[in-house]
Amino acid sequence: MEYQLSIAEALYPHLKDHLTMEDILALLEKPKTAEHGDMAFPAFQLAKIFRKNPAQIASELQEKISSPLIEKTETVGPYLNFFLKRDMVGKHVITEVIEQGAHYGESDFGKNQNVPIDMSSPNIAKPMSMGHLRSTVIGNSLAKIYSKMGFHPVKINHLGDWGTQFGKLIVAYKKWGTEEEVRANPITELLRLYVKFHQEAEDDPSLEEEGRSWFKRLEDGDNEALELWEWFREESLQEFNKVYDRLGVSFDSTNGEAFYNDKMDEVVELLEEKNLLTVDQGAHIVDLEKYDLNPALIKKTDGATLYITRDLAAALFRHRTYDFTQSLYVVGQEQTNHFKQLKAVLKEMGYDWADDIQHIPFGLITQGGKKLSTRQGKVVLLEEVLDEAVAQALDQINQKNPDLPNKEQVAEQVGVGAIVFHDLKNDRLNSFDFTISELVQFEGETGPYVQYTRARAMSILRKAGALDAQPVEEFNLSDDYSWEIIKLLQEFPETVQRAYEKREPSVIAKHSLHLAQAFNKFYAHVRVLDEHEERDSRLALVHAVTEVLKEDLNLLGVNSPDEM
Ligand code: ARG
């Protein structure tokens, strides 16, 4: 239930000559402090219309207004403040949460609309970077948020599986590699070979030539080259899958760059037909001056296609296959220009749906001040980051709850959850540094804090023998601690909506933190399990908190262990 709506309805009869319901809803504010009530209506705007001062208008409105949901009203200067009937609102919200469970907050806003989400998209034969981790977890969370809003997301892993580097890799493998070593540690070994190639090529430039010629063989469909490439791709993907499994992320498609090899001729033909290609020093480009962008390089002098050529083919393919209403690309902000060019070329080609393409950029994460880098061959593997977080989570569990059954499994959920939550709790465009030990803490603004809070709430329910929620017959909580919780529960659906509108999982993460904080305050002041006339209402409230915290975390792609 939207209590804003009830308040607006109460105001409307007295303002309908001047304001619409939408106007009134837009004017209603949430007061900064709880003592100013639950909702405030500022009367400034009406001063001109009524030719009275706003304070006077506020107090005249106050006298006229009534609604079954409103407990009382107060005026503070130009504001009319509303206090809601806490038990009524509470009963309503808690009932909704308990009845709808995991479905609470769902809408059919995006019904029947496909939304491809290009996410993760690491480059094969290289370790997955922090940037790819970000893309994976942001994309995964957006997919869940879109789903909750009724859309049909299609998660696409646009693997970087084509390019001249594979020619070099083949050369390096044939010279210095063995099958056993690659099988044993695919990514590290392929990376070692790649790095070695560059070191050796400094003294022996003919290697570069050899690399190019192997890439040419690959492009021409040479069997040996293709087999090696397929094998490298397969081994890499298996390594990536280990990380995806731990993160609980799956894809609807792993069509990467290579998938578009046979789909680029069409792009080039279309560009030619539409007279968009110009030859500039032997290269084919699309001029984008009128968009204030550099020209898009479609084909190099030697005929090789480029990253953007593949993305053009992919955009056409996705539009045909999914007939999307939005198409998202969760890719670091350093590629902003690329996506501007992509959209501009499509626009030039006459495709209005280019406007439905959205680049979802994000900032850079570093660990201990350093970017995870592959260039020098010094790599921090993502898996090692996850392992470290899990080990530290296990330490914490050993301190707090040494007898916990299936500790290892819970530690995995907490450690991995900590990394994911941390990644999502900041506005995605922020760049930040992280230190594992900080984000695995059970206190502070961390994922484990939210998980731990929920696990405590679950343990209350267990002790009360109230794991199955009962319908709320009578709800009589009106204390301030409960009320804070009720308001946050009530705000969950609009929070999902806001996260969707801003394409911003951090909106959900912040909601989970606020709810966890409100619950901990409540828990510190209210003895839920004591025999008391409010006991049933309190248990119902606790139950609703466990449901909504679980759903918050779920939308972030973080697990909620029932005990920890
Ligand atoms: N593989 C690319 C990289 O690591 C990201 C691909 C993003 N997706 C796309 N359709 N361009 O930078």
Side-chain angles (χ1 to χ4, degrees), residues 80-371:
L80 178 55
N81 294 335
F82 297 86
F83 294 77
L84 293 162
K85 289 214 175 104
R86 295 179 170 186
D87 46 357
M88 267 177 84
V89 174
K91 176 172 175 163
H92 193 103
V93 174
I94 304 286
T95 303
E96 267 198 0
V97 175
I98 287 177
E99 277 176 9
Q100 299 176 16
H103 297 292
Y104 179 59
E106 257 171 33
S107 84
D108 60 3
F109 180 87
K111 201 169 64 191
N112 300 329
Q113 299 181 41
N114 288 335
V115 180
I117 304 184
D118 187 306
M119 53 184 268
S120 195
S121 311
N123 302 319
I124 66 164
K126 283 194 186 166
M128 209 189 286
S129 71
M130 274 290 162
H132 296 122
L133 173 77
R134 289 214 81 185
S135 169
T136 310
V137 301
I138 295 171
N140 189 48
S141 176
L142 287 177
K144 286 173 187 274
I145 292 167
Y146 269 68
S147 230
K148 188 111 184 150
M149 291 295 295
F151 291 94
H152 178 248
V154 184
K155 290 178 280 178
I156 302 176
N157 194 351
H158 187 80
L159 290 172
D161 57 3
W162 203 253
T164 46
Q165 71 271 29
F166 296 102
K168 299 177 185 173
L169 201 57
I170 291 174
V171 172
Y173 172 73
K174 289 174 76 81
K175 286 196 193 303
W176 310 295
T178 68
E179 186 174 336
E180 298 76 62
E181 280 167 318
V182 174
R183 285 208 193 285
N185 282 309
I187 304 257
T188 9
E189 179 59 10
L190 291 173
L191 179 68
R192 183 188 75 81
L193 292 170
Y194 188 68
V195 171
K196 185 161 172 79
F197 180 92
H198 284 281
Q199 286 162 351
E200 301 279 332
E202 274 177 27
D203 301 326
D204 179 4
S206 75
L207 281 174
E208 294 281 354
E209 195 37 58
E210 243 183 286
R212 264 194 292 278
S213 96
W214 270 99
F215 182 58
K216 179 95 183 54
R217 285 173 71 170
L218 188 58
E219 291 217 284
D220 294 342
D222 172 273
N223 265 341
E224 186 184 358
L226 266 178
E227 260 168 40
L228 281 172
W229 169 79
E230 254 163 35
W231 178 50
F232 295 156
R233 185 183 192 274
E234 200 40 50
E235 294 284 350
S236 302
L237 201 51
Q238 272 178 31
E239 286 288 291
F240 295 153
N241 280 337
K242 288 189 198 159
V243 174
Y244 296 141
D245 284 348
R246 293 181 76 175
L247 295 173
V249 173
S250 61
F251 298 95
D252 302 299
S253 160
T254 44
N255 289 341
E257 294 192 32
F259 178 76
Y260 299 100
N261 279 343
D262 61 359
K263 298 176 181 59
M264 281 178 293
D265 284 349
E266 186 198 354
V267 172
V268 175
E269 278 159 26
L270 282 168
L271 288 169
E272 261 158 8
E273 249 169 55
K274 296 174 198 250
N275 270 324
L276 293 169
L277 279 186
T278 35
V279 181
D280 182 48
Q281 297 167 16
H284 290 71
I285 61 165
V286 177
D287 185 89
L288 297 174
E289 214 184 302
K290 74 170 184 227
Y291 298 85
D292 232 348
L293 293 167
N294 290 329
L297 182 52
I298 303 292
K299 226 172 168 183
K300 289 203 238 175
T301 329
D302 62 4
T305 52
L306 289 113
Y307 183 51
I308 195 164
T309 327
R310 288 166 200 281
D311 259 330
L312 286 166
L316 288 173
F317 179 82
R318 286 174 197 175
H319 188 255
R320 273 180 205 144
T321 312
Y322 306 114
D323 188 24
F324 55 68
T325 52
Q326 300 179 40
S327 177
L328 310 190
Y329 294 76
V330 186
V331 185
Q333 62 182 345
E334 66 283 358
Q335 293 194 29
T336 300
N337 202 52
H338 167 75
F339 287 102
K340 281 190 182 155
Q341 288 184 317
L342 178 66
K343 290 178 69 163
V345 174
L346 291 166
K347 204 71 190 180
E348 281 297 273
M349 292 171 86
Y351 301 126
D352 283 339
W353 51 262
D355 293 331
D356 302 327
I357 288 184
Q358 300 167 37
H359 176 211
I360 311 291
F362 52 80
L364 191 73
I365 352 182
T366 48
Q367 191 194 356
K370 275 173 288 191
K371 189 177 161 182

Side-chain angles (χ1 to χ4, degrees), residues 451-468:
Q451 289 173 318
Y452 188 58
T453 302
R454 180 180 172 279
R456 277 169 67 176
M458 288 299 290
S459 97
I460 298 173
L461 297 178
R462 259 193 311 275
K463 280 189 198 132
L467 279 174
D468 292 323

